[in-house]
Amino acid sequence: MKVAIIGGSGRAGREISTELARRGHRVTAISRHPENAVEAEGVTAIAGDVNHPAALAEAIRGHDVVVSAVMFSDTDPASLVGVVRAAGVPRYLAVGGAGSLEVAPGVALITTPDFPDAYRAEAGKGAAFLDYLGGVDDIDWTFLSPSAYFFVGDRTGHFRLGRDELLVDADGNSSISYADYAIAMADEIETPRHSRARFTVGY
């Protein structure tokens, strides 16, 4: 499968590139700093910018799947979805955020008193991005939210999947490594189970 990753040189983008290459897929890692992309067989790094949608659409044209792994504050959903649409790529997956996950029925994590102010703006834009995708019916999209603590760590292959509720372990912690998150993303790319939906991954 041929997969384009917008934001391919970031932490999530690098791990997803690595996981897909490990499985034998061809990856185009697109970013403003392609020199920081993963160097692996099957991974091609090219320059691209979400602020130049026409050029970005040309870069992803011909791929089977597009993954966006960019900060929500660096783009807007209408522009990014428009790029995917213009390129004619049938499937689009987004590296989501945890802020919109529910900690109780109807209560999003971002609205809780202890949610860090430093992440509130980005989390709010992530929630808005998901809301926008909910109205998109001509592209097969998926939004994968990590757990609250998204960290650089081991690839264990042991995790749980959920839908709209924040996953927590027996001690009340909510976490997932970038490497294990990448497994969940690659699994969804290979075997779609969450068409036009959000899901989440955590320990």
Side-chain angles (χ1 to χ4, degrees):
M1 197 177 297
K2 193 175 181 183
V3 183
I5 302 179
I6 303 169
S9 65
R11 285 177 293 185
R14 285 174 58 87
E15 289 291 352
I16 296 166
S17 296
T18 299
E19 183 64 33
L20 289 170
R22 179 184 283 118
R23 301 181 186 207
H25 299 291
R26 291 178 294 159
V27 176
T28 304
I30 306 168
S31 69
R32 287 176 289 186
H33 298 284
E35 68 276 9
N36 295 329
V38 168
E39 294 184 12
E41 184 177 352
V43 178
T44 301
I46 66 172
D49 192 324
V50 293
N51 294 311
H52 300 100
L56 188 57
E58 285 304 310
I60 67 174
R61 192 181 306 278
H63 289 78
D64 302 299
V65 180
V66 174
V67 176
S68 66
V70 295
M71 297 284 287
F72 294 114
S73 56
D74 288 342
T75 187
D76 72 75
S79 176
L80 204 47
V81 169
V83 165
V84 177
R85 187 179 285 123
V89 180
R91 291 187 63 209
Y92 167 59
L93 294 91
V95 175
S100 58
L101 291 167
E102 294 185 343
V103 296
V107 180
L109 178 63
I110 191 176
T111 67
T112 59
D114 294 332
F115 192 86
D117 286 338
Y119 303 122
R120 196 174 299 279
E122 175 70 8
K125 287 184 178 294
F129 201 106
L130 177 59
D131 285 344
Y132 181 87
L133 287 178
V136 175
D137 59 8
D138 62 329
I139 293 173
D140 187 4
W141 61 266
T142 300
F143 189 95
L144 175 52
S145 289
S147 289
Y149 179 41
F150 202 10
F151 67 97
V152 177
D154 294 338
R155 180 185 187 273
T156 71
H158 299 290
F159 50 78
R160 294 177 294 149
L161 301 181
R163 291 302 295 260
D164 294 310
E165 296 180 358
L166 185 74
L167 294 174
V168 297
D169 63 18
D171 297 321
N173 299 313
S174 175
S175 64
I176 190 68
S177 71
Y178 284 96
D180 280 336
Y181 176 95
I183 295 175
M185 179 68 83
D187 287 347
E188 182 68 22
I189 288 171
E190 291 181 336
T191 308
R193 294 189 175 93
H194 302 90
S195 178
R196 296 193 178 92
R198 184 258 293 279
F199 74 113
T200 187
V201 57
Y203 296 129

